[in-house]
Amino acid sequence: MAVDLTRVQPPLKVYPPKANKFILKIIRILTPFWLRWQCGIKQIETRYIDRLVEATKKFQDGKARYMLAFRHPTTDDPFAMLYLLAYAVPEEARDMGIKLTTLPHSGFVYDRGISLWAGDYVNWLFPALGGISIFRGKLDRLALSWMRKQITHGDVPLSMAPEGGTNGKSETVAELEPGIAQIGFWAAEDLLKEGRTEEMLIIPVGIQYEYSTQAWGKIDQTIITIEKECGISKPAITPDNRYQRLYDLGSYLVKWVSDYYKAFYGNYAKINSENTNPDNLAANLEELADRILSVAEMSFGIKAKGSPIDRCRRLEQAGWDRIFRNDINDIEKLSGVERGFADQLALEASYSNWHMRIAESIIGVTSDYVRQHPSPSRYIEVLKLMWSVLQRVTERNQDSAFKETPNFGDRKLTISVAEPLSVSEHLAEYQSSRAASKECTRKLTEDIHRAMKDLVVPSAI
């Protein structure tokens, strides 16, 4: 049952990881069926799995410790990772003649807020699978402690998605958060302090989805649906004008929403624009996201700092701090007046973060993603991002055309493994000075990003 974020709530509980072998066995059995019937995956291709087999063998032999840094384009990615470890790696190991002592698995890190929209089952299922919940918008020392312990002393490795949230695009790697590189160095230091000789590795994993070229009809229908809901009437879509229709639709929405925020939130969102070309869609998207985030930041009294994603995470945490109250011992013992003010604060926080969610979806949209490679998959991914924005805008309308996300048909899943990146070989330089530690963390993050980009396979046009 979803939590009512418009009313004051008790503090979010933290559930420690507690792996349950029976539950894990059941989930492993169900994974291929879930991928096929719930995720619409009709074909799975795996690439360079031998790299992970060899690393897993070293892990089980006590020669290495590793983390998996996986791509995160959609919410289906955890099931792709389960398939990789439970099916692809063991099969490749058999083909290579390598005997693994146990069936591979990994712990994983997940956003503590997932249960707020997915349901309470997350609070018992994810920890039972080895999941570690983390508050993304603040320094979560407890989660970091569990993660370091898992990496250095766990029976299985740890998986993390350095892109943070889903970016909605299989063929573009979003800006990576430096957390996984930093934790990698901390883990290498922990091993060194204990006098252990295992090599610390980070292994990037590519996950991408591809739609069929038969999806063009649904793509055109979706563009027309959005146009209709925006009050736009145009003739039929053809292959020659399809991209222009999508571009014009995006430009119209950006301009309309931007004008709306300027008109009704002008006092909130005064930003210094460097964009002198009103037809520059990329600059307009960036400016619009900035303007919307400024509205939420003004409500919370937060100064804009860092990347747009960093700003979203801080806003999310600020909202949670006003909804899930650590300063109230027992909500039920509040007086009627106290409860009324607490509920109002939660309501205002929820409404302020409504703006943040809009900006979060807009951040994922890029103006040239389709133009660079006009495949059905890229069209669909951009349309789904647009749809998610409009779905949130119209969520209070029970008759909204955006209530149900369009089904664009079955997909192909491709899972690729990059060459392991050694953290240990850079540890001496990392420890030489504070400036060196920052530079090593930056370089390792760049190496992970580059490896992920190299794993991307262009979708069929």
Side-chain angles (χ1 to χ4, degrees), residues 218-383:
K218 190 65 176 181
I219 290 169
D220 294 345
Q221 181 184 337
T222 303
I223 294 173
I224 291 171
T225 297
I226 299 175
E227 288 177 336
K228 179 181 177 182
E229 292 302 307
C230 292
I232 299 172
S233 179
K234 288 189 175 184
I237 295 176
T238 67
D240 292 335
N241 69 14
R242 181 182 289 121
Y243 174 73
Q244 192 61 46
R245 288 282 285 271
L246 179 67
Y247 186 91
D248 290 346
L249 178 58
S251 298
Y252 170 84
L253 284 168
V254 169
K255 184 179 185 306
W256 194 95
V257 176
S258 182
D259 288 346
Y260 178 87
Y261 271 87
K262 288 176 183 177
F264 296 103
Y265 296 95
N267 292 331
Y268 284 81
K270 293 181 178 179
I271 61 174
N272 296 320
S273 174
E274 298 179 0
N275 178 25
T276 58
N277 181 4
D279 297 324
N280 186 337
L281 182 56
N284 291 339
L285 279 166
E286 183 178 341
E287 181 180 309
L288 177 58
D290 184 23
R291 184 178 299 278
I292 296 174
L293 287 173
S294 296
V295 172
E297 286 164 342
M298 181 68 73
S299 298
F300 287 122
I302 296 175
K303 291 184 178 180
K305 182 181 178 182
S307 69
I309 292 299
D310 292 335
R311 293 165 70 184
C312 287
R313 296 290 71 79
R314 281 198 302 276
L315 285 166
E316 180 180 64
Q317 188 60 50
W320 286 2
D321 289 344
R322 288 159 173 78
I323 298 169
F324 301 95
R325 299 287 294 277
N326 290 298
D327 58 327
I328 299 176
N329 293 326
D330 188 346
I331 290 175
E332 298 304 321
K333 292 183 179 179
L334 293 176
S335 68
V337 173
E338 289 172 327
R339 182 65 178 261
F341 272 102
D343 282 342
Q344 183 62 31
L345 185 65
L347 178 65
E348 291 173 359
S350 182
Y351 282 166
S352 293
N353 265 347
W354 180 88
H355 297 283
M356 181 273 290
R357 297 299 180 194
I358 298 294
E360 192 175 37
S361 296
I362 290 173
I363 290 166
V365 181
T366 50
S367 62
D368 58 354
Y369 184 60
V370 173
R371 180 183 58 79
Q372 291 173 342
H373 189 77
S375 66
S377 295
R378 293 202 179 194
Y379 267 95
I380 290 168
E381 288 175 339
V382 169
L383 283 170

